[in-house]
Amino acid sequence: MKDNQNSAKYALIYTSLVSMILLTPLFFYFVYMKNIHSIENELLLKEKSILIIKAMQEYNQHEEYFEYPRFKTFESGLYNERFKPIFSLIDYKIKYFKDGYHLEDNDAYLIVKLPKGRYFGASYLIVKNKLSFASVYEKVLYILFSIVILIFTLSVFFLQSFAKPFQRMNKQLDNFIKDSMHEINTPLSIINVNIDLYNRKNEPNKYMQRMKAASKVLSNIYNDMDYLIKHERLEYEKQNINFDKFLGERIEYFSEVALMKNIVIKSNIQESLLVYMNPKQLQRVIDNTLSNAIKYSYENSKIDISLHKKEEKLYMSIKDYGVGIENVENILSRYYRENINKGGFGIGLSIVKSIIDKENIQLIINSTPKKGSEFLYVFTSINK
C-alpha cells in the first residue's frame, strides 16, 4: 500500500514537471489556434459584407424601399465620410475608422470602404460580431488534460515496474529484520534472567554488572527497532499513567548502565503526577533521552532529572554534563549522529520526535558544547 502511494506521489511530481515543460509548446499552439480562429472570423465578416454590398447593388431605385440585410449574430451599418451613421444596427462605439479587420477584446469588426456616392451616400460599410474563443479554450484544455492523464498513467506504470525488484528486496529485508528481532528477543531475555539468577546466588562483581548494563543497552536498541517496525500498523491506546513512579522505574533500570561510567543519576520528582499517554511511547521518550544522556556524559559526572507540575502542565527535564550538542536543529533527524565514535544508529531521538509531534509534547533543548545538554519536555495532556 505504501509503495503504491509512493509510486503515485512520484508519478504526480514527474507529471507536473513534464506538464510544465509541455506548457510552452501548448501556449504557442493556443496562440496559433486563436489566430486561426480570428482569421476564420475575418473571412465570415467579409462574406457578410459581400452579401450586403450585393443586396445594395441589386436594389432597384424604382422600388418603394430598400430592405437592409439583417443577420442573427452579425451587426452592420452604413457610415458617411465623417463616420456618422447613415443607417446602423451596431450598438457599439467604433474607435478606429480604418479600412480592414479590427479586433478589440472580443469585439471584431470589418470596415469596408465603399465607392463614393454609390450606396445611399455611404462611404463605409461596417460589419461587426462578437468573437468567442471558447472552442479554442475547450480544445486546448482537452489536449492538456489528455496529456496529463497519459503521462501520469505511464509514469505510474513504469515506476511500479521499475520498483518491483526493489519492493521484493525490501519485503525480504523487512521479513528478515522481523525474524531477526524475534530471534534476538529470546536469547536477550535468557541473558537477563541468568544474570539476575547469578546475582541472587553470588556476590555482585564488575563483570556481571558490565554484562547487565550491556544487555540493557541492547534491550533499548531492540525496543527502538521493534517500535519502528510496528508503530505504523499498531494503534497505541492511551491511559492515565502515574508519571512519577514510571519515571522512577526507568531511572532505576538505567542506573546500572550509568554506573559503568561512574555517573550518578540525581532525581527531583514530584509525587502523584498523572499523564494521559501510551506507556510504550512514554517509555521510548524517557529511555532514548536518558540513554543518550548517559552515552554522551563524561565519566565521573552526574545526570539531573526533575519532574514537576506547573499551571496544569508537566515539566520533565533530563540534564547531563557531557560533550553537549553543536547542531541542535539536526539532533532529532533520523540517522543523524554528532559523534560517530559513540556508536548507535541515530534513530532514538527521531523516534522521540515522531512521538512528541503526534502527542503535542513540547521539547526545549538547551545545550553548550563540552558542558552538557538539557532536554525539557512539556506535557499538556495530564489526565483524562
Side-chain angles (χ1 to χ4, degrees):
M1 180 67 179
K2 190 174 180 180
D3 291 332
N4 291 334
Q5 290 176 349
N6 287 333
S7 297
K9 174 185 174 183
Y10 289 114
L12 184 60
I13 294 172
Y14 179 76
T15 302
S16 302
L17 292 174
V18 174
S19 299
M20 288 178 66
I21 295 171
L22 291 175
L23 280 178
T24 302
L26 192 62
F27 171 77
F28 287 112
Y29 173 76
F30 170 69
V31 173
Y32 170 76
M33 290 301 297
K34 283 185 70 175
N35 291 333
I36 293 295
H37 193 64
S38 181
I39 292 170
E40 290 176 348
N41 187 68
E42 181 182 355
L43 294 175
L44 285 174
L45 291 176
K46 287 182 178 179
E47 180 184 330
K48 300 303 178 186
S49 68
I50 291 172
L51 290 175
I52 295 172
I53 293 173
K54 184 179 179 181
M56 290 190 295
Q57 287 176 342
E58 293 176 350
Y59 168 65
N60 188 342
Q61 294 183 356
H62 298 291
E63 295 180 6
E64 187 175 349
Y65 64 91
F66 172 65
E67 186 176 350
Y68 188 86
R70 287 170 169 79
F71 308 98
K72 187 175 182 180
T73 57
F74 293 85
E75 300 171 355
S76 62
L78 298 173
Y79 293 77
N80 63 20
E81 287 185 353
R82 296 182 179 181
F83 307 115
K84 298 297 182 182
I86 295 175
F87 175 83
S88 180
L89 300 172
I90 299 175
D91 185 17
Y92 178 78
K93 187 177 180 180
I94 304 296
K95 295 180 181 178
Y96 307 103
F97 282 89
K98 187 178 179 181
D99 295 357
Y101 178 73
H102 303 273
L103 181 62
E104 297 174 6
D105 296 329
N106 290 332
D107 293 297
Y109 57 92
L110 177 70
I111 299 179
V112 181
K113 188 171 180 59
L114 299 174
K116 188 175 180 180
R118 187 169 179 180
Y119 301 109
F120 308 104
S123 297
Y124 296 97
L125 168 65
I126 300 178
V127 184
K128 177 189 174 296
N129 72 339
K130 283 280 187 181
L131 182 59
S132 174
F133 294 104
S135 59
V136 178
Y137 287 117
E138 184 179 350
K139 185 179 292 185
V140 170
L141 287 175
Y142 176 77
I143 293 172
L144 179 61
F145 182 75
S146 301
I147 290 173
V148 169
I149 294 298
L150 179 62
I151 294 173
F152 181 77
T153 304
L154 291 176
S155 300
V156 171
F157 173 75
F158 286 118
L159 283 172
Q160 288 183 343
S161 298
F162 293 150
K164 280 183 179 179
F166 299 101
Q167 290 173 356
R168 286 195 296 267
M169 188 181 298
N170 286 335
K171 187 174 182 180
Q172 291 174 356
L173 184 60
D174 286 342
N175 292 334
F176 172 75
I177 292 174
K178 291 174 185 177
D179 294 339
S180 299
M181 292 295 294
H182 178 73
E183 294 298 326
I184 289 172
N185 188 36
T186 302
L188 189 60
S189 301
I190 293 172
I191 291 171
N192 286 325
V193 169
N194 281 275
I195 291 173
D196 290 336
L197 290 173
Y198 179 86
N199 288 335
R200 288 178 185 178
K201 295 181 179 180
N202 302 280
E203 290 293 327
N205 61 72
K206 62 180 181 179
Y207 302 109
M208 281 298 169
Q209 288 177 346
R210 289 175 180 173
M211 289 176 63
K212 185 68 173 178
S215 69
K216 288 185 176 181
V217 172
L218 187 58
S219 294
N220 188 56
I221 296 172
Y222 171 85
N223 290 331
D224 279 342
M225 296 295 292
D226 186 62
Y227 181 83
L228 278 177
I229 292 172
K230 297 178 180 178
H231 81 282
E232 290 186 350
R233 62 176 185 270
L234 290 182
E235 187 68 29
Y236 290 93
E237 295 183 1
K238 299 180 182 180
Q239 63 185 64
N240 286 322
I241 302 172
N242 194 319
F243 202 167
D244 51 306
K245 291 184 179 180
F246 192 93
L247 180 57
E249 291 172 358
R250 303 321 300 162
I251 293 173
E252 183 180 355
Y253 180 84
F254 281 96
S255 59
E256 287 180 298
V257 181
L259 190 62
M260 298 309 300
K261 296 177 68 174
N262 292 323
I263 296 173
V264 178
I265 300 178
K266 295 185 177 181
S267 60
N268 181 16
I269 300 176
Q270 185 178 335
E271 296 182 354
S272 302
L273 298 179
L274 294 177
V275 65
Y276 186 68
M277 194 172 171
N278 177 265
K280 288 187 177 180
Q281 291 182 319
L282 180 58
Q283 182 179 329
R284 299 280 24 91
V285 172
I286 296 173
D287 286 8
N288 279 303
T289 308
L290 186 50
S291 65
N292 269 12
I294 296 170
K295 184 187 298 183
Y296 294 103
S297 288
Y298 295 126
E299 291 189 8
N300 304 310
S301 63
K302 66 174 181 175
I303 294 175
D304 292 325
I305 299 178
S306 66
L307 177 66
H308 66 277
K309 180 179 179 181
K310 183 180 179 181
E311 297 179 354
E312 299 304 316
K313 294 181 180 179
L314 296 181
Y315 295 82
M316 180 182 72
S317 169
I318 299 179
K319 183 177 182 180
D320 66 73
Y321 300 86
V323 299
I325 304 169
E326 294 183 2
N327 299 305
V328 175
E329 64 278 3
N330 296 328
I331 199 65
L332 299 179
S333 301
R334 182 171 291 188
Y335 307 123
Y336 176 80
R337 291 180 294 162
E338 286 215 326
N339 188 345
I340 60 175
N341 296 322
K342 290 290 183 181
F345 302 102
I347 60 173
L349 290 181
S350 71
I351 292 175
V352 170
K353 186 179 187 313
S354 68
I355 294 172
I356 64 176
D357 286 348
K358 187 177 181 181
E359 298 300 321
N360 196 27
I361 299 169
Q362 185 182 1
L363 171 59
I364 302 169
I365 303 176
N366 299 308
S367 182
T368 304
K370 298 183 180 180
K371 290 188 177 180
S373 305
E374 178 188 17
F375 282 65
L376 177 62
Y377 295 89
V378 183
F379 296 78
T380 54
S381 183
I382 296 179
N383 55 58
K384 187 174 183 180

